[in-house]
Amino acid sequence: MTRLIHLSDLHFGRTAPELLDPLLRAVNGAKPDLVAVTGDFTQRARRSQYRDARAFLRKLQASWMAVPGNHDVSLDNLWLRFVRPYRRYRRFITEEMMPVKHLPGLTVVGFNTVDRFRWQRGKIRWLQMRHACRIFSESKGLNVVLAHHPFEQDPDVEKSLMRDADQAIERLSECGAHLVLSGHLHRWRTEPFLSRKHGAQVLQVHVGTGLSTRLRGQENDFAILDLDSHSANIRRMIAREDHFIEAERRHYSFGDKGWERSPEWPPRAPQQADPVAAQGVGPE
């Protein structure tokens, strides 16, 4: 079993400071094999905000990987935005714009979905898609994609979905992707994509914001994923005063029909959660 933590939309520059230490305690206490951060480290891509983001990453006790979000390129400095959009991201976070991690039974590939010419809407980079598919073709375990922008969203979401997002999911299904971790919308969603050709071959885990005050009617949260070759145990952790507790858990099994939710790992109500056990210390 491999454990991932999925964080997104930290938005340094507009955070709830009282959640910073509780989030670090919860993440480090879960003892993950990898922390995956799906973009929007900053609110306005300013140096001071990037310094805070880098300080946060340095306090993580596990390996981490990341992709940029639309807030990680400058909005008000047009020269930076259009000429050197990732200059500060590369300096303070990572030089890797398509990171790849190989863990026991798991391959994780990060996509850059930021479009410097549009503030909100992301874009598919098909060269990255082809490269990811080549990597997945050589993998013998679960294949995971990180992307800031979602490939599917609820009808009531006002933000525009990425162009060709449905075609991208079809392609990911064809080339062996099993999970997509994303952010951007500041809301939780965990369920399989329904590919027209391939059924429920790809599972989406969409988290909200770990630290930001920019909430969308939901709590600050992150996800703990325990993964093996045929199953995904997913826990939603939400902020409660000075700690994070487990609010929801789901178990999915992968078989001939793709991902199917199993009743063997039932949801747990937030008020019943043990804030110590919910930090994910030790096996389930």
Side-chain angles (χ1 to χ4, degrees):
M1 189 77 73
T2 301
R3 175 167 288 181
L4 266 61
I5 295 283
H6 178 202
L7 300 172
S8 195
D9 296 83
L10 299 173
H11 286 282
F12 282 97
R14 192 169 173 179
T15 60
E18 68 275 11
L19 292 181
L20 181 58
D21 287 341
L23 180 60
L24 282 166
R25 285 197 304 269
V27 171
N28 290 332
K31 301 187 185 307
D33 298 290
L34 180 70
V35 178
V37 189
T38 52
D40 276 3
F41 284 91
T42 68
Q43 178 64 17
R44 283 291 180 263
R46 294 183 177 134
R47 292 184 186 90
S48 60
Q49 296 167 6
Y50 268 121
R51 289 190 189 99
D52 290 342
R54 183 171 62 183
F56 174 86
L57 292 173
R58 287 176 173 172
K59 292 177 182 177
L60 296 176
Q61 295 171 2
S63 298
W64 58 269
M65 65 184 294
V67 293
N70 57 293
H71 279 261
D72 295 325
V73 297
S74 181
L75 177 64
D76 44 14
N77 186 326
L78 296 183
W79 185 89
L80 269 182
R81 180 172 184 82
F82 296 120
V83 181
R84 295 286 187 272
Y86 308 110
R87 181 175 183 175
R88 291 176 180 172
Y89 179 85
R90 289 178 183 272
R91 176 184 173 189
F92 290 99
I93 306 299
T94 178
E95 286 281 348
E96 297 180 282
M97 300 307 294
M98 187 178 177
V100 179
K101 292 279 188 183
H102 298 284
L103 300 172
L106 197 69
T107 297
V108 188
V109 177
F111 284 16
N112 175 15
T113 58
V114 175
D115 186 348
R116 78 183 79 176
F117 300 108
R118 294 179 176 86
W119 173 235
Q120 293 282 1
R121 192 177 189 182
K123 72 175 184 179
I124 308 295
R125 289 173 168 81
W126 293 101
L127 284 175
Q128 286 191 352
M129 180 73 71
R130 286 196 286 272
H131 183 48
C133 287
R134 285 195 295 272
I135 293 171
F136 292 156
S137 69
E138 299 173 357
S139 168
K140 301 188 185 303
L142 284 183
N143 297 319
V144 182
V145 170
L146 306 185
H148 178 65
H149 294 82
F151 290 77
E152 184 178 274
Q153 60 193 35
D154 294 322
D156 64 331
V157 173
E158 295 180 357
K159 295 180 179 180
S160 298
L161 186 64
M162 287 190 297
R163 193 169 125 188
D164 298 331
D166 54 345
Q167 296 175 354
I169 283 299
E170 299 292 344
R171 182 67 186 115
L172 288 171
S173 298
E174 291 171 353
C175 73
H178 298 105
L179 289 93
V180 172
L181 312 186
S182 56
H184 185 56
L185 301 180
H186 294 208
R187 61 198 296 180
W188 173 269
R189 184 179 184 182
T190 302
E191 60 188 19
F193 292 99
L194 296 179
S195 162
R196 293 189 302 272
K197 299 178 182 177
H198 307 286
Q201 297 295 312
V202 184
L203 179 65
Q204 61 177 314
V205 180
H206 188 90
V207 299
T209 169
L211 286 175
S212 177
T213 58
R214 301 177 73 242
L215 301 174
R216 298 291 185 266
Q218 297 187 6
E219 302 92 342
N220 293 92
D221 69 9
F222 70 93
I224 299 176
L225 297 88
D226 290 307
L227 307 172
D228 63 24
S229 59
H230 295 92
S231 71
N233 298 328
I234 302 166
R235 286 180 278 168
R236 184 189 183 207
M237 309 296 292
I238 64 170
R240 279 292 184 269
E241 297 180 353
D242 62 347
H243 57 269
F244 280 77
I245 65 169
E246 181 183 314
E248 179 182 353
R249 54 171 60 189
R250 295 189 181 192
H251 175 84
Y252 290 91
S253 297
F254 190 83
D256 294 337
K257 296 181 181 179
W259 291 103
E260 293 183 300
R261 189 172 177 184
S262 168
E264 66 188 65
W265 213 45
R268 179 185 299 172
Q271 62 268 26
Q272 297 173 321
D274 180 344
V276 175
Q279 287 185 7
V281 178
E284 279 295 315

